[in-house]
Amino acid sequence: MLGALTFAAKLVMAPLPNIEPVSLLVMLFAVTLGKKALFPVYVYVLLEISLFGLGLWTTAYLYIWALLALAAFLLRSMESPLGWAILSGLFGLLFGALCTPVCLLTGGPAFALSWWLSGIPFDLAHCAGNFALTLVLFRPGRRLLSRLL
Amino acid sequence: MKKQTKLTLAALALLLLVGLLGGVYLLSRPDVAAGTKNITVDIVHADESTKSLRFQTDKEFLGDLLLSENLVTGEQGPFGLYILSADGEVADYAVNKAYWALTVNGEYAVQGADATPIADGDAYRLVYTVG
């Protein structure tokens, strides 16, 4: 259900440019559910693949969100919203770079490099959106999920 | 090291990385040609019929031209403009894995139409592609 909720939240927020709730939710699942966070994460990924097909970024989703969940799990004792905002912002900033292994396999080094470079403005905006959203919502979100689960 | 110091250092590192990536982008972004350019745009439909158009334009990026001429509709995806329809024909990946492939002078474009700079004499093709 949490995976479906993540998918629905992403679709609802899709009109807002470069602001997505998935990073925040994946981190929240990791700190409240621990290893079980992979269940909602991969339900979300499967829903993405079923709607959009197995394309470049949906293939990258197979490992990208798990990496974020792992980072959040390792930092789960951190309380500071600023710390979480930094992690979320860093993830947004590196999102394009994290997708390049798929580009490398499908189109070679030149394609991967040009694809990453052309996407940097989106990564910068992703970083800003993630940072702001997490700074505001991480603490109340963590409290709410801890109470519900 | 105090927690506050660690956080401050992490925030500074993030800012530094933002600046670094911004600099890399500015140094590597494609040259945008100013002034009037003459280009061609071919739209190849699912039934393989082709609509060929010629433009004389001051626009700097292909996406701006295609949208202003109402040739395409699309939505902003994580990586720029994702073209949903061209010349009135919708390519729906969810239905039959169809999408609009963009080529520039015969080569697949490495970025979306909105990030593809227009150069004088360029030939662009939007091809209805399945799979």
Side-chain angles (χ1 to χ4, degrees), chain A residues 71-104:
Chain A
F73 179 71
L74 294 174
L75 294 168
R76 62 191 181 282
S77 61
M78 182 167 66
E79 292 291 337
S80 165
L82 176 63
W84 289 107
I86 290 170
L87 175 65
S88 189
L90 181 67
F91 177 73
L93 195 60
L94 298 180
F95 196 88
L98 290 170
C99 288
T100 51
V102 182
C103 299
L104 201 62

mmCIF file of all heavy atoms in Angstrom, chain A residues 71-104:
data_model
loop_
_atom_site.group_PDB
_atom_site.id
_atom_site.type_symbol
_atom_site.label_atom_id
_atom_site.label_comp_id
_atom_site.label_asym_id
_atom_site.label_seq_id
_atom_site.Cartn_x
_atom_site.Cartn_y
_atom_site.Cartn_z
ATOM 1 N N ALA A 71 21.274 4.326 2.029
ATOM 2 C CA ALA A 71 21.929 5.487 2.654
ATOM 3 C C ALA A 71 21.105 5.985 3.843
ATOM 4 O O ALA A 71 21.652 6.290 4.916
ATOM 5 C CB ALA A 71 22.113 6.601 1.624
ATOM 6 N N ALA A 72 19.782 6.053 3.673
ATOM 7 C CA ALA A 72 18.918 6.530 4.753
ATOM 8 C C ALA A 72 18.933 5.553 5.928
ATOM 9 O O ALA A 72 18.941 5.966 7.091
ATOM 10 C CB ALA A 72 17.492 6.716 4.229
ATOM 11 N N PHE A 73 18.959 4.259 5.602
ATOM 12 C CA PHE A 73 18.992 3.238 6.666
ATOM 13 C C PHE A 73 20.266 3.377 7.500
ATOM 14 O O PHE A 73 20.227 3.313 8.731
ATOM 15 C CB PHE A 73 18.898 1.843 6.033
ATOM 16 C CG PHE A 73 18.957 0.734 7.031
ATOM 17 C CD1 PHE A 73 17.895 0.501 7.896
ATOM 18 C CD2 PHE A 73 20.072 -0.083 7.122
ATOM 19 C CE1 PHE A 73 17.941 -0.525 8.831
ATOM 20 C CE2 PHE A 73 20.133 -1.107 8.048
ATOM 21 C CZ PHE A 73 19.071 -1.325 8.910
ATOM 22 N N LEU A 74 21.386 3.605 6.812
ATOM 23 C CA LEU A 74 22.660 3.738 7.528
ATOM 24 C C LEU A 74 22.699 5.004 8.392
ATOM 25 O O LEU A 74 23.386 5.052 9.402
ATOM 26 C CB LEU A 74 23.829 3.754 6.526
ATOM 27 C CG LEU A 74 24.043 2.440 5.757
ATOM 28 C CD1 LEU A 74 25.130 2.609 4.695
ATOM 29 C CD2 LEU A 74 24.418 1.317 6.717
ATOM 30 N N LEU A 75 21.934 6.019 7.985
ATOM 31 C CA LEU A 75 21.925 7.291 8.730
ATOM 32 C C LEU A 75 20.693 7.416 9.632
ATOM 33 O O LEU A 75 20.335 8.510 10.058
ATOM 34 C CB LEU A 75 21.962 8.468 7.739
ATOM 35 C CG LEU A 75 23.242 8.623 6.914
ATOM 36 C CD1 LEU A 75 23.041 9.617 5.785
ATOM 37 C CD2 LEU A 75 24.387 9.085 7.816
ATOM 38 N N ARG A 76 20.013 6.296 9.902
ATOM 39 C CA ARG A 76 18.702 6.356 10.555
ATOM 40 C C ARG A 76 18.706 7.002 11.939
ATOM 41 O O ARG A 76 17.677 7.473 12.401
ATOM 42 C CB ARG A 76 18.055 4.970 10.629
ATOM 43 C CG ARG A 76 18.834 3.950 11.452
ATOM 44 C CD ARG A 76 18.259 2.559 11.243
ATOM 45 N NE ARG A 76 18.950 1.554 12.009
ATOM 46 C CZ ARG A 76 20.129 1.022 11.680
ATOM 47 N NH1 ARG A 76 20.758 1.431 10.590
ATOM 48 N NH2 ARG A 76 20.682 0.085 12.428
ATOM 49 N N SER A 77 19.875 7.052 12.575
ATOM 50 C CA SER A 77 19.911 7.669 13.917
ATOM 51 C C SER A 77 19.967 9.197 13.843
ATOM 52 O O SER A 77 19.821 9.877 14.856
ATOM 53 C CB SER A 77 21.121 7.147 14.697
ATOM 54 O OG SER A 77 22.299 7.487 14.005
ATOM 55 N N MET A 78 20.161 9.714 12.645
ATOM 56 C CA MET A 78 20.249 11.176 12.486
ATOM 57 C C MET A 78 18.871 11.823 12.714
ATOM 58 O O MET A 78 17.866 11.358 12.193
ATOM 59 C CB MET A 78 20.758 11.500 11.074
ATOM 60 C CG MET A 78 20.940 12.968 10.795
ATOM 61 S SD MET A 78 21.893 13.266 9.268
ATOM 62 C CE MET A 78 20.776 12.632 8.009
ATOM 63 N N GLU A 79 18.847 12.879 13.497
ATOM 64 C CA GLU A 79 17.580 13.559 13.809
ATOM 65 C C GLU A 79 17.403 14.846 13.019
ATOM 66 O O GLU A 79 16.289 15.264 12.727
ATOM 67 C CB GLU A 79 17.545 13.901 15.311
ATOM 68 C CG GLU A 79 17.454 12.696 16.238
ATOM 69 C CD GLU A 79 16.112 12.000 16.135
ATOM 70 O OE1 GLU A 79 15.135 12.630 15.726
ATOM 71 O OE2 GLU A 79 16.061 10.784 16.451
ATOM 72 N N SER A 80 18.505 15.508 12.700
ATOM 73 C CA SER A 80 18.439 16.853 12.117
ATOM 74 C C SER A 80 17.735 16.886 10.748
ATOM 75 O O SER A 80 18.164 16.191 9.812
ATOM 76 C CB SER A 80 19.854 17.400 11.945
ATOM 77 O OG SER A 80 19.831 18.503 11.090
ATOM 78 N N PRO A 81 16.674 17.683 10.612
ATOM 79 C CA PRO A 81 16.038 17.826 9.303
ATOM 80 C C PRO A 81 17.003 18.363 8.248
ATOM 81 O O PRO A 81 16.913 18.002 7.072
ATOM 82 C CB PRO A 81 14.909 18.835 9.550
ATOM 83 C CG PRO A 81 14.697 18.838 11.016
ATOM 84 C CD PRO A 81 16.006 18.488 11.640
ATOM 85 N N LEU A 82 17.956 19.199 8.698
ATOM 86 C CA LEU A 82 18.940 19.733 7.749
ATOM 87 C C LEU A 82 19.801 18.599 7.185
ATOM 88 O O LEU A 82 20.092 18.563 5.978
ATOM 89 C CB LEU A 82 19.828 20.784 8.438
ATOM 90 C CG LEU A 82 20.959 21.356 7.570
ATOM 91 C CD1 LEU A 82 20.389 22.105 6.359
ATOM 92 C CD2 LEU A 82 21.863 22.285 8.378
ATOM 93 N N GLY A 83 20.185 17.664 8.055
ATOM 94 C CA GLY A 83 20.975 16.527 7.596
ATOM 95 C C GLY A 83 20.226 15.713 6.550
ATOM 96 O O GLY A 83 20.784 15.327 5.519
ATOM 97 N N TRP A 84 18.946 15.476 6.787
ATOM 98 C CA TRP A 84 18.135 14.716 5.826
ATOM 99 C C TRP A 84 17.939 15.493 4.535
ATOM 100 O O TRP A 84 17.917 14.915 3.449
ATOM 101 C CB TRP A 84 16.782 14.328 6.446
ATOM 102 C CG TRP A 84 16.964 13.267 7.492
ATOM 103 C CD1 TRP A 84 16.883 13.409 8.847
ATOM 104 C CD2 TRP A 84 17.318 11.899 7.271
ATOM 105 N NE1 TRP A 84 17.157 12.235 9.482
ATOM 106 C CE2 TRP A 84 17.427 11.278 8.541
ATOM 107 C CE3 TRP A 84 17.561 11.136 6.137
ATOM 108 C CZ2 TRP A 84 17.758 9.933 8.681
ATOM 109 C CZ3 TRP A 84 17.899 9.792 6.288
ATOM 110 C CH2 TRP A 84 17.988 9.208 7.536
ATOM 111 N N ALA A 85 17.788 16.817 4.687
ATOM 112 C CA ALA A 85 17.640 17.658 3.489
ATOM 113 C C ALA A 85 18.910 17.610 2.647
ATOM 114 O O ALA A 85 18.841 17.588 1.408
ATOM 115 C CB ALA A 85 17.324 19.090 3.902
ATOM 116 N N ILE A 86 20.065 17.559 3.320
ATOM 117 C CA ILE A 86 21.334 17.481 2.586
ATOM 118 C C ILE A 86 21.428 16.153 1.829
ATOM 119 O O ILE A 86 21.792 16.110 0.658
ATOM 120 C CB ILE A 86 22.532 17.653 3.555
ATOM 121 C CG1 ILE A 86 22.584 19.099 4.065
ATOM 122 C CG2 ILE A 86 23.843 17.297 2.871
ATOM 123 C CD1 ILE A 86 23.561 19.328 5.207
ATOM 124 N N LEU A 87 21.055 15.057 2.505
ATOM 125 C CA LEU A 87 21.086 13.754 1.839
ATOM 126 C C LEU A 87 20.143 13.740 0.629
ATOM 127 O O LEU A 87 20.508 13.299 -0.464
ATOM 128 C CB LEU A 87 20.676 12.644 2.825
ATOM 129 C CG LEU A 87 20.547 11.251 2.193
ATOM 130 C CD1 LEU A 87 21.888 10.745 1.682
ATOM 131 C CD2 LEU A 87 19.954 10.242 3.163
ATOM 132 N N SER A 88 18.937 14.265 0.840
ATOM 133 C CA SER A 88 17.950 14.265 -0.239
ATOM 134 C C SER A 88 18.408 15.166 -1.397
ATOM 135 O O SER A 88 18.252 14.815 -2.573
ATOM 136 C CB SER A 88 16.616 14.760 0.323
ATOM 137 O OG SER A 88 15.604 14.593 -0.599
ATOM 138 N N GLY A 89 18.982 16.329 -1.042
ATOM 139 C CA GLY A 89 19.487 17.238 -2.074
ATOM 140 C C GLY A 89 20.628 16.613 -2.848
ATOM 141 O O GLY A 89 20.693 16.710 -4.077
ATOM 142 N N LEU A 90 21.513 15.925 -2.131
ATOM 143 C CA LEU A 90 22.653 15.262 -2.782
ATOM 144 C C LEU A 90 22.151 14.186 -3.747
ATOM 145 O O LEU A 90 22.657 14.045 -4.862
ATOM 146 C CB LEU A 90 23.560 14.640 -1.707
ATOM 147 C CG LEU A 90 24.808 13.934 -2.231
ATOM 148 C CD1 LEU A 90 25.773 14.938 -2.849
ATOM 149 C CD2 LEU A 90 25.512 13.178 -1.114
ATOM 150 N N PHE A 91 21.136 13.449 -3.314
ATOM 151 C CA PHE A 91 20.577 12.403 -4.169
ATOM 152 C C PHE A 91 20.003 13.026 -5.454
ATOM 153 O O PHE A 91 20.234 12.521 -6.556
ATOM 154 C CB PHE A 91 19.480 11.639 -3.409
ATOM 155 C CG PHE A 91 18.797 10.601 -4.230
ATOM 156 C CD1 PHE A 91 19.443 9.417 -4.553
ATOM 157 C CD2 PHE A 91 17.512 10.803 -4.694
ATOM 158 C CE1 PHE A 91 18.801 8.459 -5.322
ATOM 159 C CE2 PHE A 91 16.872 9.846 -5.460
ATOM 160 C CZ PHE A 91 17.519 8.671 -5.774
ATOM 161 N N GLY A 92 19.268 14.141 -5.295
ATOM 162 C CA GLY A 92 18.715 14.821 -6.477
ATOM 163 C C GLY A 92 19.818 15.302 -7.401
ATOM 164 O O GLY A 92 19.727 15.183 -8.623
ATOM 165 N N LEU A 93 20.882 15.815 -6.811
ATOM 166 C CA LEU A 93 22.000 16.343 -7.593
ATOM 167 C C LEU A 93 22.717 15.235 -8.374
ATOM 168 O O LEU A 93 23.183 15.452 -9.487
ATOM 169 C CB LEU A 93 22.988 17.026 -6.630
ATOM 170 C CG LEU A 93 24.038 17.932 -7.237
ATOM 171 C CD1 LEU A 93 23.393 19.085 -7.990
ATOM 172 C CD2 LEU A 93 24.951 18.482 -6.154
ATOM 173 N N LEU A 94 22.777 14.056 -7.779
ATOM 174 C CA LEU A 94 23.504 12.950 -8.410
ATOM 175 C C LEU A 94 22.594 12.024 -9.212
ATOM 176 O O LEU A 94 23.051 11.000 -9.732
ATOM 177 C CB LEU A 94 24.243 12.131 -7.335
ATOM 178 C CG LEU A 94 25.303 12.886 -6.530
ATOM 179 C CD1 LEU A 94 25.951 11.965 -5.508
ATOM 180 C CD2 LEU A 94 26.363 13.480 -7.444
ATOM 181 N N PHE A 95 21.312 12.392 -9.292
ATOM 182 C CA PHE A 95 20.340 11.499 -9.934
ATOM 183 C C PHE A 95 20.759 11.136 -11.365
ATOM 184 O O PHE A 95 20.767 9.963 -11.748
ATOM 185 C CB PHE A 95 18.960 12.163 -9.947
ATOM 186 C CG PHE A 95 17.837 11.215 -10.222
ATOM 187 C CD1 PHE A 95 17.233 10.533 -9.188
ATOM 188 C CD2 PHE A 95 17.390 10.990 -11.512
ATOM 189 C CE1 PHE A 95 16.196 9.643 -9.431
ATOM 190 C CE2 PHE A 95 16.362 10.112 -11.767
ATOM 191 C CZ PHE A 95 15.757 9.438 -10.725
ATOM 192 N N GLY A 96 21.125 12.144 -12.130
ATOM 193 C CA GLY A 96 21.547 11.899 -13.519
ATOM 194 C C GLY A 96 22.782 11.023 -13.575
ATOM 195 O O GLY A 96 22.872 10.082 -14.376
ATOM 196 N N ALA A 97 23.742 11.335 -12.702
ATOM 197 C CA ALA A 97 24.985 10.552 -12.675
ATOM 198 C C ALA A 97 24.698 9.099 -12.312
ATOM 199 O O ALA A 97 25.311 8.176 -12.856
ATOM 200 C CB ALA A 97 25.962 11.166 -11.677
ATOM 201 N N LEU A 98 23.732 8.888 -11.414
ATOM 202 C CA LEU A 98 23.396 7.521 -11.000
ATOM 203 C C LEU A 98 22.714 6.740 -12.128
ATOM 204 O O LEU A 98 22.702 5.506 -12.110
ATOM 205 C CB LEU A 98 22.495 7.554 -9.760
ATOM 206 C CG LEU A 98 23.166 8.018 -8.464
ATOM 207 C CD1 LEU A 98 22.131 8.258 -7.367
ATOM 208 C CD2 LEU A 98 24.196 7.004 -7.998
ATOM 209 N N CYS A 99 22.122 7.471 -13.074
ATOM 210 C CA CYS A 99 21.465 6.796 -14.209
ATOM 211 C C CYS A 99 22.468 6.437 -15.313
ATOM 212 O O CYS A 99 22.143 5.648 -16.203
ATOM 213 C CB CYS A 99 20.398 7.697 -14.832
ATOM 214 S SG CYS A 99 18.918 7.900 -13.843
ATOM 215 N N THR A 100 23.661 7.019 -15.266
ATOM 216 C CA THR A 100 24.581 6.836 -16.398
ATOM 217 C C THR A 100 25.035 5.388 -16.636
ATOM 218 O O THR A 100 25.332 5.055 -17.780
ATOM 219 C CB THR A 100 25.831 7.741 -16.266
ATOM 220 O OG1 THR A 100 26.398 7.561 -14.973
ATOM 221 C CG2 THR A 100 25.494 9.191 -16.497
ATOM 222 N N PRO A 101 25.078 4.520 -15.599
ATOM 223 C CA PRO A 101 25.445 3.125 -15.939
ATOM 224 C C PRO A 101 24.505 2.517 -16.985
ATOM 225 O O PRO A 101 24.957 1.763 -17.856
ATOM 226 C CB PRO A 101 25.319 2.401 -14.589
ATOM 227 C CG PRO A 101 25.617 3.451 -13.577
ATOM 228 C CD PRO A 101 25.025 4.710 -14.143
ATOM 229 N N VAL A 102 23.215 2.850 -16.908
ATOM 230 C CA VAL A 102 22.267 2.308 -17.895
ATOM 231 C C VAL A 102 22.580 2.900 -19.276
ATOM 232 O O VAL A 102 22.583 2.189 -20.291
ATOM 233 C CB VAL A 102 20.806 2.628 -17.494
ATOM 234 C CG1 VAL A 102 19.839 2.029 -18.502
ATOM 235 C CG2 VAL A 102 20.508 2.094 -16.107
ATOM 236 N N CYS A 103 22.876 4.218 -19.313
ATOM 237 C CA CYS A 103 23.230 4.871 -20.588
ATOM 238 C C CYS A 103 24.507 4.265 -21.160
ATOM 239 O O CYS A 103 24.628 4.070 -22.366
ATOM 240 C CB CYS A 103 23.458 6.360 -20.389
ATOM 241 S SG CYS A 103 22.051 7.236 -19.774
ATOM 242 N N LEU A 104 25.433 3.969 -20.263
ATOM 243 C CA LEU A 104 26.716 3.396 -20.673
ATOM 244 C C LEU A 104 26.497 2.037 -21.345
ATOM 245 O O LEU A 104 27.086 1.737 -22.381
ATOM 246 C CB LEU A 104 27.590 3.233 -19.423
ATOM 247 C CG LEU A 104 29.087 3.118 -19.603
ATOM 248 C CD1 LEU A 104 29.662 4.368 -20.232
ATOM 249 C CD2 LEU A 104 29.754 2.869 -18.252
#
